[in-house]
Amino acid sequence: NGDCDRDNSVTVFDYGILSDYFDKNSGDGDWATVGGNGFAPKDADLDGDESVTVFDYGILSNNFDLSGDN
């Protein structure tokens, strides 16, 4: 987990997407709206709790620089 952009690798690009949407949640009107980066806030919700928080950063950090089915 941690692959926001679904390219099968956890990279700095995933970090960028998560950063773009930090502090967003499912109550926001644009939760499922694709932004200028090509992704929606829900794509950065790595733990599935319907919000983008420090816990999502933790998941990304724990898997940073991994590829494949890890």
Side-chain angles (χ1 to χ4, degrees), residues 2-33:
D3 184 19
C4 297
D5 62 6
R6 299 176 303 277
D7 69 351
N8 210 28
S9 295
V10 182
T11 66
V12 68
F13 299 110
D14 300 297
Y15 179 84
I17 293 166
L18 203 154
S19 295
D20 287 345
Y21 296 124
F22 186 74
D23 209 25
K24 289 283 193 176
N25 63 65
S26 61
D28 294 328
D30 64 348
W31 181 247
T33 303

Side-chain angles (χ1 to χ4, degrees), residues 15-66:
Y15 179 84
I17 293 166
L18 203 154
S19 295
D20 287 345
Y21 296 124
F22 186 74
D23 209 25
K24 289 283 193 176
N25 63 65
S26 61
D28 294 328
D30 64 348
W31 181 247
T33 303
V34 174
N37 62 7
F39 299 93
K42 69 178 186 169
D43 296 320
D45 178 21
L46 301 174
D47 62 4
D49 68 352
E50 298 191 345
S51 60
V52 183
T53 66
V54 67
F55 299 110
D56 299 299
Y57 273 107
I59 291 169
L60 192 150
S61 294
N62 287 338
N63 295 297
F64 190 77
D65 209 22
L66 296 178

